[in-house]
Amino acid sequence: VGVHEIIDVLLLQVTEEEDRQAIEDAITKNLRGRYGKLLALLQEMKPSIEQWRSVLRELQSREARIQALSPQVVEAKEQLRQKDIPQHEEREPEPELPSWDAMDHLPSEKQ
């Protein structure tokens, strides 16, 4: 005879529901009470969990849009670079300025 059978026989002999519950709680080390507390905690956390999931979905959506737009950004940058190249080539070279030496502009007594 195993422990399980002994417990079943004991529970069948107990007629009061409170006594039966006390025996179950003692055997399961108050598992029902712990389960109830955890269930209450889960219910308390559900709004936060849903909010986190919503934020995660939004971030994933943004990331997907960024990934979808990346080739367009690369293409636009390339077009801008191609557009800038001819403008740089068409510019006239800037005239060379004469070099300016501070020693040339000091009064003669300080030279």
Side-chain angles (χ1 to χ4, degrees), residues 41-51:
L41 181 61
L42 176 64
Q43 295 302 322
E44 182 182 316
M45 292 174 56
K46 274 190 177 181
S48 295
I49 293 170
E50 289 304 317
Q51 184 179 14

Side-chain angles (χ1 to χ4, degrees), residues 59-83:
L59 290 175
Q60 289 172 336
S61 174
R62 285 182 184 178
E63 184 178 351
R65 284 189 298 225
I66 289 170
Q67 292 297 327
L69 291 175
S70 290
Q72 293 173 354
V73 170
V74 170
E75 184 180 333
K77 283 182 179 179
E78 181 61 26
Q79 288 175 356
L80 183 60
R81 189 181 68 77
Q82 292 296 330
K83 186 177 179 182

Side-chain angles (χ1 to χ4, degrees), residues 17 45 75 89 91 99:
E17 184 60 33
M45 292 174 56
E75 184 180 333
E89 292 174 356
R91 287 186 185 167
S99 64

